Amino acid sequence: KSVSTTEKKNFNILKRSYFLSSDLKKGDKLTKHNVLMLRPRKGLFVPNQIFGKQLKTSVNKGKIIKKKYLYD
């Protein structure tokens, strides 16, 4: 089966990314208890890219988790 143009257009809307489920301060570590998977896919979506990582800055609840918020 090939992917239709409509499916390609909706791909990122239907997939999910990690968002914060609570306010976190600089230096807090990300765990499965303070993140959720929500739509759309705009940020990080691979678990080993975020779990156990520390935040560079304070981030509010509901924000999408982006690489710029995390230490390498």
Side-chain angles (χ1 to χ4, degrees), residues 4-18:
S4 70
T5 54
T6 308
E7 288 175 320
K8 287 179 186 178
K9 191 177 0 176
N10 292 328
F11 180 77
N12 285 331
I13 295 170
L14 299 176
K15 297 295 180 176
R16 297 170 184 252
S17 296
Y18 286 105

Side-chain angles (χ1 to χ4, degrees), residues 9-70:
K9 191 177 0 176
N10 292 328
F11 180 77
N12 285 331
I13 295 170
L14 299 176
K15 297 295 180 176
R16 297 170 184 252
S17 296
Y18 286 105
F19 288 76
L20 289 178
S21 62
S22 60
D23 293 339
L24 295 179
K25 296 179 182 174
K26 179 181 179 177
D28 286 347
K29 286 191 176 185
L30 295 174
T31 66
K32 65 180 181 179
H33 302 290
N34 55 22
V35 298
L36 348 142
M37 294 285 296
L38 298 173
R39 289 183 180 137
R41 181 189 281 180
K42 289 188 177 182
L44 300 175
F45 55 89
V46 180
N48 65 0
Q49 289 180 330
I50 66 156
F51 291 127
K53 302 278 183 162
Q54 285 187 327
L55 291 173
K56 287 183 183 178
T57 61
S58 295
V59 185
N60 294 330
K61 176 182 178 178
K63 289 280 190 174
I64 194 165
I65 299 172
K66 296 183 179 182
K67 196 168 187 134
K68 69 180 182 180
Y69 299 149
L70 305 175

